[in-house]
Amino acid sequence: VALRLTDLAPVLPPGTGGYPTRAAASSSRIYITGFDSESGQEIWSADALGGPFTLLRDIAPGSRSSHPLNLTIVDDRLLFSANDDVHGRELWLTDGTRAGTRMIWEVAQGGFSSFPSNLTAIGTDLVFSALHPLIGQKAWILHLGPETPGLIFVDDFESGTTAQWETSPF
């Protein structure tokens, strides 16, 4: 039996404009960008075997929308860009749980949006482009696999340091 995903989750009302509904699926979860009047447009998820969609997190609190974009699966997790109204549009990750839905990297600190785009999975790595205020639009790679636990990127344009997670994102 085939069901329309929109029968199971909220979507933008016709004629309201805004961002269209986007979708991605891992081996265990289905993700969509859904809309409701309390949370705006955010990431919703359902078990891949069926069931209702639930809001993972109200990234831009209240009725403002975070407008999630660039939904990409890496190692059974969803990476996407979203705007939380504090850090600007940055890179986010979810494992399909509320606790596991969080911003994972900010190209430049503060409200400067890096606009991550062109997200592409290569094994357990994520290749994407993002804007940095000092060097412009560049290609980046996030190493997310167990072979490099905690390693995010090598920052050779400012300090030559390696940024690392305090705890692994997985």
Side-chain angles (χ1 to χ4, degrees):
V1 173
L3 296 174
R4 290 184 325 149
L5 289 179
T6 56
D7 289 341
L8 304 173
V11 295
L12 286 171
T16 60
Y19 290 82
T21 299
R22 301 188 188 307
S26 70
S27 63
S28 61
R29 308 286 312 161
I30 299 171
Y31 301 95
I32 68 163
T33 56
F35 175 89
D36 73 10
S37 59
E38 293 178 12
S39 304
Q41 189 176 31
E42 299 291 350
I43 292 286
W44 294 67
S45 177
D47 186 279
L49 298 176
F53 280 81
T54 58
L55 176 67
L56 287 179
R57 181 171 173 182
D58 191 2
I59 293 171
S63 61
R64 295 183 318 273
S65 296
S66 70
H67 298 293
L69 299 172
N70 306 295
L71 281 59
T72 305
I73 301 295
V74 178
D75 198 27
D76 214 31
R77 289 166 176 82
L78 176 73
L79 286 105
F80 59 98
S81 69
N83 185 343
D84 66 359
D85 288 338
V86 174
H87 301 96
R89 179 163 296 281
E90 297 298 344
L91 202 57
W92 287 71
L93 171 138
T94 186
D95 62 3
T97 66
R98 176 167 169 56
T101 304
R102 62 197 180 281
M103 187 175 68
I104 63 164
W105 190 50
E106 186 176 21
V107 173
Q109 300 297 311
F112 180 85
S113 291
S114 67
F115 301 103
S117 60
N118 303 311
L119 279 62
T120 304
I122 301 176
T124 58
D125 293 344
L126 178 74
V127 177
F128 63 100
S129 62
L131 180 64
H132 188 281
L134 298 179
I135 62 171
Q137 188 80 20
K138 298 294 179 187
W140 304 84
I141 186 166
L142 292 178
H143 304 291
L144 300 168
E147 68 281 0
T148 54
L151 181 64
I152 301 176
F153 67 102
V154 176
D155 166 11
D156 60 359
F157 57 86
E158 287 179 343
S159 62
T161 61
T162 299
Q164 294 185 346
W165 298 107
E166 291 180 17
T167 58
S168 173
F170 303 109

